[in-house]
């Protein structure tokens, strides 16, 4: 039997396309009968093309390397700069330097160099401009010894200027306060007008160079209103003052009558008792104010003829309170009037120790006066700083709170010594001028010689008070 061989196509082999990696059909060559099929070797894999390094990458790499080098150099420079800026300066001792207004960075550097605070103006200017600090400020500054440039910059940029102080003792009149302000050389400007009497609060006030006198006046008035409102709200209901203004008026009398803080409430109590009994206050400082006003002092003793001279302020001639304050009282005097001591006292006189002896009757008061005269006689010296004289031959006159025993001086127009009644003996107004004066035994601004008053006499004389 014969078979017919079919004509089949030759098997195909899969060949790899070297360009695309796809398998391609490949026809196998016919083999002879009995010939084994031999494997065909696969073609080698295509080689990846080697790309050349981009030029941009090289540029970036070089730039980064250069930047790193610059950064390292900058760090080294900053470290050296900070070390120089913080090195101790040439100033050998603390010093106050005034930097004028509108000074630029260069001018400030030159000022500090001239004053010996810094040694290098260029380094100071560079640090000021590029150190990241606030703007420099003109003013008056205290530089510590051996202050570095960094310290100097901190001082000038923070604005912590030198603080000056001016002290106003309790009992000064507004005119005296204005005079004290005008005598201060650090303050500037003029005061618009003399403030009303009693509208200023005596105290110590701090200010910077360049502050104006009017600013201090405004501050004193604001403080007085604040303190007065506080004290008025907590006053005793028994105090016979109807308004805050009346409280200031009575406090000004108390302020001028005693310089001792522990006596103010008791002195205030005496005047409160006299007001309640409708007795005249008979306070000598009101005589003085009625004669000289805001000048505040006679510069001599009160004449007998002046005791009963009618003025709006003379509490020997008028009943009740005067029309306004006779000085600027302090906080303590206001507190004393708002809450006085509860006593029956109606009189007081100097006791020879800087204080006063109090009495609730004329007889007790006369005994205190006798002791006072004995003290004066034992000293064997006439008082050289009193602001009152013997009020008359009859201290028992109803309502009179005389601090003195009857005198025998016939001359009614002369100032008298307390221990003899001899006419013509000079005495001085104690409202200013002695160590016991309430205006003298308080602190003063010792930084200005103009504001330190000279004592009239180093020997103190006790003061008689009603």
């Amino acid at each position: 039997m014969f078979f017919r061989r079919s004509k089949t196509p030759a098997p195909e082999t899969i060949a790899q396309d070297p360009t695309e990696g796809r398998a391609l059909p490949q026809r196998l060559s016919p083999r002879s009968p009995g010939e084994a099929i031999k494997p065909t070797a696969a073609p080698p894999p295509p080689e990846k093309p080697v790309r050349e390094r981009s030029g941009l990458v090289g540029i970036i790499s070089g730039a980064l390397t250069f930047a790193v080098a610059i950064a390292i150099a900058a760090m080294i420079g900053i470290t050296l700069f900070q070390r120089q800026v913080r090195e101790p300066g040439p100033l050998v001792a603390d010093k106050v330097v005034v930097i004028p207004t509108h000074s630029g960075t260069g001018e400030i550097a030159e000022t500090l160099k001239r004053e010996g605070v810094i040694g290098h103006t260029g380094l100071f200017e560079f640090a000021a401009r590029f150190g990241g600090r606030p703007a420099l400020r003109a003013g008056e500054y205290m530089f510590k010894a051996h202050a570095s440039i960094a310290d100097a910059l901190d001082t000038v940029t923070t604005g912590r200027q030198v603080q000056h102080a001016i002290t106003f003792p309790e009992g000064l009149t507004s005119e005296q306060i204005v005079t004290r302000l005008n005598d201060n050389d650090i303050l500037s400007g003029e005061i618009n007008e003399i403030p009303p009497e009693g509208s200023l609060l005596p105290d110590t006030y701090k200010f910077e160079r360049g502050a104006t006198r009017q600013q201090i006046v405004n501050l004193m008035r604001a403080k007085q209103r604040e303190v007065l409102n506080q004290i008025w709200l907590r006053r005793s209901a028994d105090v016979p003052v109807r308004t805050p203004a009346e409280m200031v008026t009575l406090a000004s009398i108390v302020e001028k009558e005693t310089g001792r803080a522990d006596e103010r409430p008791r002195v205030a109590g005496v005047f409160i008792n006299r007001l309640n009994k409708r007795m005249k206050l008979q306070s000598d400082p009101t005589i003085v104010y009625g004669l000289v006003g805001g000048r505040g002092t006679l510069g001599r003793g009160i004449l007998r003829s002046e005791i009963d001279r009618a003025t709006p302020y003379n509490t020997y001639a008028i009943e009740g309170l005067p029309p306004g304050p006779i000085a600027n009282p302090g906080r303590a005097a206001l507190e004393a009037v708002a809450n006085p001591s509860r006593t029956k006292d109606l009189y007081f006189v100097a006791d020879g120790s800087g204080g006063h002896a109090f009495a609730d009757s004329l007889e007790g008061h006369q005994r205190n006066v006798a002791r006072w005269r004995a003290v004066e006689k034992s000293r064997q010296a006439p008082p050289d700083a009193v602001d009152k004289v013997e009020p008359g031959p009859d201290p028992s006159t109803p309502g009179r709170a005389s601090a003195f025993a009857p005198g025998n001086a016939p001359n009614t127009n002369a100032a008298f010594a307390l221990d003899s009644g001899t006419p013509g003996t000079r005495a001085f107004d104690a409202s200013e001028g002695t160590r016991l004066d309430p205006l003298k035994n308080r602190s003063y601004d010792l930084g200005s010689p103009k504001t330190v008053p000279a004592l009239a006499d180093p020997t103190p004389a006790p003061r008689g008070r009603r």
Side-chain angles (χ1 to χ4, degrees):
M1 180 179 291
F2 295 94
F3 295 94
R4 179 178 294 180
R5 179 178 295 180
S6 60
K7 296 182 181 179
T8 59
E12 295 180 342
T13 61
I14 304 302
Q16 193 76 18
D17 187 348
T19 59
E20 300 182 3
R22 293 185 297 108
L24 297 178
Q26 185 176 357
R27 188 177 298 277
L28 299 177
S29 58
R31 62 177 183 274
S32 58
E35 183 179 1
I37 298 176
K38 297 180 179 180
T40 304
E47 296 180 358
K48 294 182 179 181
V50 179
R51 298 180 180 179
E52 295 183 358
R53 190 171 185 179
S54 173
L56 180 60
V57 174
I59 293 174
I60 294 175
S61 176
L64 289 176
T65 303
F66 180 76
V68 170
I70 291 297
I72 294 174
M75 291 179 61
I76 295 174
I78 292 173
T79 301
L80 294 175
F81 170 75
Q82 290 180 343
R83 182 178 299 176
Q84 286 184 313
V85 166
R86 299 187 181 280
E87 286 182 352
L91 194 61
V92 296
D94 295 356
K95 188 174 186 179
V96 175
V97 178
V98 177
I99 297 176
T101 308
H102 306 304
S103 295
T105 302
E107 294 170 322
I108 294 176
E110 290 294 338
T111 299
L112 296 181
K113 176 69 164 53
R114 182 172 60 253
E115 297 292 339
V117 178
I118 62 175
H120 305 283
T121 56
L123 193 62
F124 179 90
E125 291 187 55
F126 185 85
R129 298 179 190 277
F130 305 104
R133 288 181 170 83
L136 307 185
R137 301 172 63 180
E140 185 178 18
Y141 299 97
M142 168 68 76
F143 294 93
K144 298 293 185 180
H146 304 293
S148 64
I149 290 179
D151 295 333
L153 283 170
D154 290 340
T155 299
V156 179
T157 55
T158 55
R160 293 192 296 268
Q161 299 188 34
V162 173
Q163 295 290 307
H164 298 273
I166 184 169
T167 298
F168 302 97
E170 296 92 336
L172 287 178
T173 67
S174 294
E175 184 175 335
Q176 290 170 324
I177 288 176
V178 169
T179 300
R180 182 175 290 260
L181 286 168
N182 289 333
D183 288 341
N184 189 288
D185 297 330
I186 299 175
L187 292 168
S188 61
E190 301 295 332
I191 297 175
N192 299 332
E193 61 181 357
I194 295 179
E197 203 70 78
S199 65
L200 307 176
L201 182 68
D203 204 343
T204 296
Y205 293 87
K206 293 185 177 181
F207 61 94
E208 298 175 354
R209 182 178 292 274
T212 65
R213 296 177 176 89
Q214 188 62 46
Q215 286 175 335
I216 302 297
V217 169
N218 295 342
L219 179 60
M220 295 180 71
R221 297 188 71 166
K223 288 291 185 181
Q224 197 269 357
R225 288 192 297 267
E226 177 184 347
V227 170
L228 179 59
N229 290 336
Q230 294 173 356
I231 296 175
W232 176 256
L233 293 176
R234 57 174 183 264
R235 73 191 185 281
S236 172
D238 299 333
V239 176
V241 290
R242 296 167 297 178
T243 64
E246 287 186 353
M247 188 169 73
V248 174
T249 298
L250 184 53
S252 69
I253 297 175
V254 173
E255 191 72 80
K256 297 293 286 187
E257 285 285 4
T258 181
R260 286 181 50 168
D262 60 329
E263 283 191 347
R264 289 192 184 101
R266 195 165 184 181
V267 170
V270 170
F271 289 124
I272 294 295
N273 292 339
R274 294 177 72 84
L275 286 174
N276 286 332
K277 290 180 177 293
R278 303 186 66 85
M279 297 172 65
K280 292 180 180 179
L281 297 184
Q282 294 185 321
S283 171
D284 293 341
T286 63
I287 299 175
V288 176
Y289 194 86
L291 296 173
V292 300
R295 286 196 290 118
T297 177
L298 280 171
R300 58 168 174 79
I302 300 173
L303 302 178
R304 185 182 301 279
S305 61
E306 294 169 338
I307 293 177
D308 296 319
R309 181 184 299 178
T311 72
Y313 287 87
N314 184 358
T315 53
Y316 281 84
I318 66 171
E319 293 184 358
L321 294 171
I326 62 172
N328 289 279
R331 181 193 297 264
L334 292 167
E335 292 277 10
V337 171
N339 296 279
S341 298
R342 296 180 179 274
T343 68
K344 296 181 180 180
D345 297 330
L346 295 172
Y347 308 90
F348 58 94
V349 64
D351 61 5
S353 65
H356 295 86
F358 296 82
D360 58 3
S361 66
L362 184 59
E363 293 75 13
H365 177 60
Q366 288 177 328
R367 289 192 295 268
N368 292 334
V369 170
R371 296 189 190 99
W372 157 255
R373 288 191 176 281
V375 170
E376 283 296 304
K377 188 174 182 180
S378 66
R379 293 177 177 174
Q380 297 180 350
D384 61 353
V386 295
D387 59 357
K388 49 181 64 66
V389 295
E390 297 179 48
D394 184 11
S396 61
T397 302
R400 182 174 290 277
S402 173
F404 308 101
N408 56 2
N411 189 343
T412 60
N413 290 317
F416 293 84
L418 298 183
D419 59 342
S420 64
T422 304
T425 305
R426 281 300 299 271
F428 295 96
D429 179 13
S431 62
E432 287 187 357
T434 69
R435 191 155 51 88
L436 292 180
D437 177 22
L439 303 186
K440 299 300 180 185
N441 57 14
R442 291 167 171 79
S443 59
Y444 282 83
D445 181 13
L446 301 180
S448 175
K450 294 182 179 180
T451 62
V452 181
L455 297 179
D457 192 295
T459 304
R463 304 166 63 185
R465 289 294 185 193
R466 290 163 176 71

